[in-house]
């Protein structure tokens, strides 16, 4: 008995860890899949591949004796772990000018692409990258293209996009395509010399280039907008005198201690040293004028949307966590600035303080009620040579594949980017979880009014269906758990599961709720398909569609079906996770929720049949077929608390709750089966019902019978210790 208990506990605490890390490959992925690929399927007109290069995992794409470009697979150069926890292998072909000339999806385990997304959409997605200029992408830090999301496959698409762009830039650098610097030629040639002393006053700091300046007046800005192709920009010119200072901005790299002391003063330089982590850099920016470089984005959410620091293919956008306000610039002779701030450049961004960079100032101009046009101005900066000393380079070629820590940072940036883009959805889910937690903790108060609670429940389920399901596609699946069991025996990666923030949060909430309330917290409240079944059943009741109550003996014997389905899927997953994902189509979730019934007719017919059955037998699928519900029911008995209140009379003789339980989870003897209960709290509504609960009705009658006797006693004697109601004396 000890082993099943240990396994169950591991399941409870690890439900949200449903992804696998790709295993280390002894040979390149390209060598495995290149013999299986036709060159013409990758690049139009190609007829063969050349031999794979010995030092970089690339192969020539040939048309007769002519080389059209180079082919590689993304997984050889960057992490490509998808939502399934396994790599998404994409073969890409690059021309000598650094442009993409071919893309082909080679191998993946993404269930939504395996089953739900039409092949034509996947091919169209791959074709959209043909023609991408990786030289331009390198200069824009991979953000110079438009990402087209396929509905229902957001995570998969973002992983494919990230892997194509980042691997393409790495391969182009490694081969020197399009003039990009080969990886072997990269590396610092100089570093900051800590022994140098900076000038003591502001004028000298400006004179030797320690502080750089960008000064713009209104006339210059108006002229810049007038040069744009949109004529509305010139029509909305500023009316201030042309010589009015638009912005007078100055910047200094203050991470070198000598410059920090000269510009910021001894005290602030010491604070800066404590704020910066090893490898971090920092710039100080100060300005006067009618235009603020901080912009409105800082007020909205901590993103400074008017400035961006650019160095080669490194782009730094500043957030509030990397910002500190300066009260003033204490350097002798420094002018008074209306705004002055410090901005930190994290070490993992690859910024080199010894190389030139520029601060790009974005200026916007409204041209319509909801439209703006933009132009930019650059403040160039190069740390003066006197602050630098040469670095003695060691003769060691940098591998084409980034170090593990760099790749981990890149994947971390990807999931952080996804979380940043899902702020509204995350906030909405957090509110839902908070409300549901309060309802469960204060269920006696919440269920006191039967009609009010029914409206609340229907409203919550509607939000679950529309917001979590149709809008956010946050539908959990047994596929997640099949991946989890694989993760228990292989390497685990947080990165893959973090790619879908709502799913991650939901699994974390489910794992926690299992310890407090069992499976019902998710199945009864947060499952979009479960919500769809209950809402349609309520509509059926309103239309007087007859409801079928299965005999208890038959109902009890149908329960195990879902457990057998889950165990069958689990057994298949041990042999082939891909086959198990196909068989997991027993779940109608992708058809009904993710793809909204826009699918081949057999899938639509199956999902519709389950919903039709649910019109007559409430939550038919949840009761008898759901493998996810079965998996969650396994640890349901480990919950720490028994929140659902019962009377001694429940089940003997009273059968009110058992007869009215929407999923027949209450035995005729009165016990609630935690494996089947969906925590709808209807039994708690009945527990307090003055119209249906015999125990409550009997108490009400007893109070009513005592009331006339109590009223017969004079008011001034009712509380006297020696005076008792007449009925009590008889």
């Amino acid at each position: 008995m000890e082993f099943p208990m240990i396994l169950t506990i591991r399941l409870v605490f690890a439900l949200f860890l449903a992804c696998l890390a790709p295993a280390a490959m002894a040979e390149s992925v390209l060598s495995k899949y290149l013999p299986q690929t036709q060159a013409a399927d990758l690049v139009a007109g190609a007829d063969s591949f050349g031999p794979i290069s010995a030092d970089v995992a690339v192969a020539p794409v040939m048309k007769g004796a002519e080389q059209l470009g180079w082919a590689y697979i993304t997984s050889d150069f960057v992490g490509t772990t998808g939502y399934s926890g396994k790599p998404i292998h994409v073969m890409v072909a690059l021309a000598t000018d650094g442009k993409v000339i071919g893309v082909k999806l080679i191998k993946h385990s993404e269930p939504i692409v395996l089953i739900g997304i039409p092949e034509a959409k996947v091919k169209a997605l791959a074709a959209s990258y043909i023609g991408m200029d990786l030289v331009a992408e390198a200069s824009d830090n991979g953000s110079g293209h438009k990402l087209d999301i396929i509905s229902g496959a957001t995570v998969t698409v973002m992983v494919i996009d990230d892997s194509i762009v980042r691997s393409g830039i790495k391969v182009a650098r490694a081969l020197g395509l399009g003039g990009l610097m080969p990886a072997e030629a990269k590396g610092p040639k100089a570093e900051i010399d800590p022994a140098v002393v900076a000038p003591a006053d502001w004028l000298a700091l400006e004179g030797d280039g320690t502080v750089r300046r960008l000064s713009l007046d209104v006339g210059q800005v108006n002229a810049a907008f007038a040069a744009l192709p949109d004529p509305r920009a010139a029509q909305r010119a500023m009316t201030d005198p042309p010589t009015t200072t638009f912005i007078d901005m100055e910047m200094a790299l203050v991470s070198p201690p000598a410059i920090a002391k000269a510009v910021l003063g001894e005290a602030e330089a010491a604070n800066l040293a404590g704020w910066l982590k090893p490898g971090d850099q920092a710039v100080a920016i100060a300005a006067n004028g009618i235009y603020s470089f901080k912009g409105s984005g800082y007020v909205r959410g901590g993103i400074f949307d008017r400035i961006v620091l650019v160095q080669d293919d490194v782009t730094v956008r500043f957030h509030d966590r990397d910002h500190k306000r300066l009260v003033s610039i204490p350097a002798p002779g420094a002018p008074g600035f209306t705004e002055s701030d410090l901005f930190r450049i994290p070490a993992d961004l690859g910024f080199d303080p010894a190389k030139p960079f520029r601060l790009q100032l974005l200026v916007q101009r409204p041209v319509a009620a909801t439209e703006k046009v933009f132009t930019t101005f650059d403040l160039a900066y190069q740390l003066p040579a006197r602050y630098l000393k040469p670095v003695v380079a060691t003769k060691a070629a940098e591998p084409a594949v980034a170090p593990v820590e760099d790749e981990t940072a890149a994947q971390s940036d990807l999931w952080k980017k996804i979380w940043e883009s899902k702020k509204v959805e995350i906030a909405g889910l957090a509110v839902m979880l908070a409300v549901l937690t309060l309802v469960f903790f204060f269920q006696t108060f919440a269920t006191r009014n039967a009609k009010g609670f029914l409206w609340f429940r229907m409203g919550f389920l509607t939000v679950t269906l529309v917001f979590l399901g149709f809008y956010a596609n946050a539908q959990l699946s047994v596929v997640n758990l099949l991946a989890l069991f694989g993760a228990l025996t292989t390497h685990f990666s947080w990165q893959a599961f973090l790619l879908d923030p709502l799913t991650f949060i939901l699994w974390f909430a489910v794992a926690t709720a299992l310890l407090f309330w069992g499976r019902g917290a998710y199945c009864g409240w947060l499952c979009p398909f479960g919500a769809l079944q209950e809402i349609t059943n309520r509509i059926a009741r309103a239309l007087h569609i007859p409801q079928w109550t299965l005999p208890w003996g038959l109902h009890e014997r149908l329960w195990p079906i879902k457990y057998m389905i889950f165990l069958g899927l689990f057994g298949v997953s041990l042999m082939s996770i891909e086959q198990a994902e196909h068989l997991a189509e027993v779940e109608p979730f992708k058809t009904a929720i993710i793809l909204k019934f826009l699918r081949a007719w057999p899938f639509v017919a199956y999902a519709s049949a389950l919903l039709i059955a649910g019109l007559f037998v409430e939550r038919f699928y949840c009761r008898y077929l759901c493998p996810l519900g079965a998996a969650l029911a396994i640890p349901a008995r480990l919950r720490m608390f028994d929140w659902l209140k019962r009377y001694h009379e429940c089940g003997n003789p009273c059968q009110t709750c058992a007869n009215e339980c929407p999923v027949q989870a209450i035995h005729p003897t009165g016990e609630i089966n935690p494996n089947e209960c969906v925590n709808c709290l209807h039994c708690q509504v009945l527990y307090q019902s003055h119209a249906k609960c015999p125990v409550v009705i009997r108490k009400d009658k007893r109070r009513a019978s005592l009331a006339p006797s109590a009223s017969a006693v004079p008011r001034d004697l009712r509380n006297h210790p020696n005076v008792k109601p007449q009925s009590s004396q008889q």
Side-chain angles (χ1 to χ4, degrees):
M1 295 297 294
E2 182 179 2
F3 175 73
M5 180 63 70
I6 293 174
L7 180 60
T8 304
I9 293 174
R10 292 179 71 184
L11 175 64
V12 172
F13 284 101
L15 277 172
F16 59 98
L17 308 180
C19 54
L20 306 177
M25 292 171 286
E27 59 181 8
S28 69
V29 182
L30 182 65
S31 64
K32 178 180 180 181
Y33 291 107
L34 192 66
Q36 307 172 20
T37 307
Q38 296 295 322
D41 293 338
L42 180 64
V43 180
D47 53 28
S48 65
F49 294 107
I52 298 176
S53 174
D55 52 348
V56 182
V58 297
V61 182
M62 308 299 294
K63 181 181 180 181
E66 177 189 0
Q67 181 175 347
L68 302 180
W70 297 92
Y72 71 93
I73 289 183
T74 55
S75 304
D76 281 325
F77 296 89
V78 298
T80 62
T81 304
Y83 180 67
S84 65
K86 291 191 173 184
I88 302 175
H89 301 311
V90 179
M91 185 176 289
V92 182
L94 303 182
T96 55
D97 61 357
K99 291 184 178 180
V100 177
I101 57 174
V103 179
K104 180 178 174 60
L105 184 60
I106 296 294
K107 173 70 175 177
H108 66 88
S109 301
E110 301 295 275
I112 193 65
V113 179
L114 281 167
I115 300 170
I117 301 299
E119 186 73 15
K121 286 191 175 182
V122 179
K123 290 183 178 179
L125 171 68
S128 68
Y129 289 91
I130 296 176
M132 173 183 284
D133 187 347
L134 292 172
V135 177
E137 290 298 321
S139 63
D140 290 332
N141 198 27
S143 60
H145 67 288
K146 180 182 178 182
L147 174 60
D148 294 323
I149 296 295
I150 297 177
S151 177
T154 303
V155 172
T156 301
V157 171
M158 294 192 75
V159 171
I160 292 174
D161 173 81
D162 175 74
S163 65
I164 290 175
V165 175
R166 291 198 297 114
S167 66
I169 293 174
K170 287 184 178 181
V171 172
R173 287 191 179 283
L175 301 176
L177 305 180
L180 289 177
M181 181 184 299
E184 290 79 7
K186 292 178 64 178
K189 295 182 174 60
E191 62 182 1
I192 295 173
D193 185 353
V196 175
V197 178
D201 63 88
W202 192 259
L203 186 61
L205 290 168
E206 288 183 322
D208 74 347
T210 303
V211 175
R212 301 293 176 101
R213 181 180 183 183
L214 172 66
S215 185
L216 299 171
D217 58 32
V218 170
Q220 291 172 300
V221 175
N222 281 339
F225 276 107
L228 297 179
D230 191 335
R232 297 176 298 174
Q235 296 168 4
R236 299 294 185 95
M238 291 182 290
T239 58
D240 301 88
T243 56
T244 303
T245 299
F246 181 76
I247 189 169
D248 189 8
M249 182 169 64
E250 305 203 46
M251 176 179 67
L253 184 72
V254 292
S255 36
I259 300 178
K261 292 178 182 178
V263 174
L264 306 178
E266 292 280 350
E268 192 60 50
N271 293 335
L272 174 64
W275 185 44
L276 297 181
K277 299 175 183 177
D280 287 354
Q281 306 297 328
V283 293
I285 306 174
N288 289 310
I290 61 176
Y291 190 74
S292 168
F293 65 79
K294 288 195 288 190
S296 57
Y298 173 64
V299 178
R300 287 197 305 268
I303 300 175
F304 295 87
D305 57 0
R306 294 185 178 180
I307 54 174
V308 58
L309 190 148
V310 181
Q311 182 184 73
D312 297 332
D313 59 346
V314 175
T315 302
V316 182
R317 300 185 185 278
F318 298 111
H319 296 256
D320 56 351
R321 62 179 177 270
D322 296 316
H323 163 259
K324 288 184 70 174
R325 184 183 176 189
L326 292 173
V327 178
S328 63
I329 300 293
F337 294 104
T338 55
E339 54 183 359
S340 52
D341 301 82
L342 282 175
F343 296 94
R344 177 171 53 193
I345 306 170
D348 59 4
L349 295 182
F351 175 81
D352 184 353
K355 295 174 62 177
F357 62 92
R358 69 183 190 274
L359 185 73
Q360 195 172 72
L361 176 69
L362 180 70
V363 181
Q364 60 188 21
R365 174 170 291 179
V367 294
T370 58
E371 293 184 67
K372 296 178 181 179
V373 293
F374 302 89
T375 189
T376 59
F377 300 91
D378 288 346
L379 171 55
Y381 191 93
Q382 166 69 69
L383 194 66
R386 59 190 296 267
Y387 293 100
L388 303 174
K389 62 180 181 180
V391 173
V392 179
T394 57
K395 190 177 180 62
E398 183 179 325
V401 181
V404 174
E405 58 270 19
D406 292 346
E407 182 56 34
T408 301
Q411 293 187 35
S412 177
D413 290 341
L414 176 60
W415 71 255
K416 288 177 182 178
K417 178 181 176 182
I418 295 175
W419 281 64
E420 186 77 19
S421 68
K422 296 282 186 180
K423 282 183 178 179
V424 174
E425 291 87 343
I426 293 171
L429 178 57
V431 171
M432 291 180 67
L433 293 176
V435 170
L436 187 59
T437 301
L438 291 174
V439 168
F440 281 165
F441 271 109
F442 302 101
Q443 62 187 34
T444 301
F445 175 79
T447 57
R448 187 169 298 171
N449 185 300
K451 186 175 181 180
F453 181 74
L454 175 62
W455 279 104
F456 166 77
R457 177 164 171 78
M458 289 299 102
F460 194 98
L461 291 179
T462 301
V463 174
T464 296
L465 175 62
V466 176
F467 172 69
L468 279 187
F470 293 150
Y471 173 73
N473 292 333
Q475 171 73 66
L476 302 187
S477 168
V478 72
V479 173
N480 306 139
L481 296 182
L482 298 180
L484 166 65
F485 285 113
L488 296 176
T489 56
T490 61
H491 298 89
F492 171 74
S493 170
W494 282 93
Q495 306 285 0
F497 203 43
L498 285 167
L499 291 173
D500 194 336
L502 295 189
T503 301
F504 180 86
I505 295 170
L506 272 175
W507 274 118
F508 188 89
V510 168
T512 304
L514 283 174
L515 297 176
F516 283 82
W517 300 288
R519 61 169 280 207
Y522 177 75
C523 296
W525 294 85
L526 295 169
C527 175
F529 189 76
L532 177 60
Q533 290 181 96
E534 187 161 335
I535 291 172
T536 53
N537 181 266
R538 284 286 171 181
I539 296 173
R541 290 171 184 264
L543 297 176
H544 304 291
I545 293 177
Q547 299 298 299
W548 300 341
T549 301
L550 275 64
W552 178 260
L554 175 61
H555 170 68
E556 194 174 27
R557 283 161 178 78
L558 291 177
W559 275 347
I561 295 178
K562 59 179 176 286
Y563 296 96
M564 289 187 281
I565 293 173
F566 170 69
L567 292 175
L569 291 173
F570 170 62
V572 173
S573 71
L574 297 179
M575 298 179 291
S576 171
I577 185 67
E578 290 84 1
Q579 184 62 30
E581 288 167 349
H582 280 284
L583 295 176
E585 272 299 304
V586 69
E587 293 181 327
F589 303 156
K590 285 189 282 291
T591 299
I593 304 300
I594 306 299
L595 301 176
K596 305 171 184 65
F597 293 97
L598 299 176
R599 205 174 181 192
W601 73 265
F603 297 103
V604 175
Y606 172 67
S608 300
L610 293 177
L611 290 174
I612 292 171
L615 300 179
F616 301 92
V617 179
E618 184 170 348
R619 285 183 176 255
F620 174 84
Y621 173 78
C622 297
R623 295 195 203 188
Y624 307 124
L625 299 177
C626 182
L628 175 62
L632 296 181
I634 292 174
R637 294 186 180 276
L638 286 179
R639 69 192 193 285
M640 296 187 295
F641 306 101
D642 193 1
W643 300 85
L644 302 179
K645 298 180 180 179
R646 310 291 286 153
Y647 294 114
H648 291 296
E649 294 85 349
C650 292
N652 185 23
C654 181
Q655 296 292 320
T656 302
C657 291
N659 292 333
E660 292 199 20
C661 177
V663 293
Q664 289 181 263
I666 302 177
H667 289 261
T669 52
E671 300 91 353
I672 298 176
N673 187 339
N675 290 349
E676 306 302 323
C677 177
V678 295
N679 279 75
C680 67
L681 301 183
H682 182 63
C683 60
Q684 300 308 288
V685 173
L686 296 176
Y687 183 87
Q688 303 179 80
S689 174
H690 295 273
K692 293 186 176 181
C693 181
V695 178
V696 176
I697 294 172
R698 187 167 60 250
K699 290 180 180 179
D700 290 344
K701 288 182 177 179
R702 187 176 301 159
R703 292 192 192 97
S705 65
L706 294 176
S709 301
S711 61
V713 180
R715 184 180 299 273
D716 56 342
L717 297 179
R718 286 180 188 174
N719 296 324
H720 196 281
N722 295 324
V723 177
K724 299 181 179 179
Q726 185 176 358
S727 61
S728 300
Q729 295 172 353
Q730 292 178 348

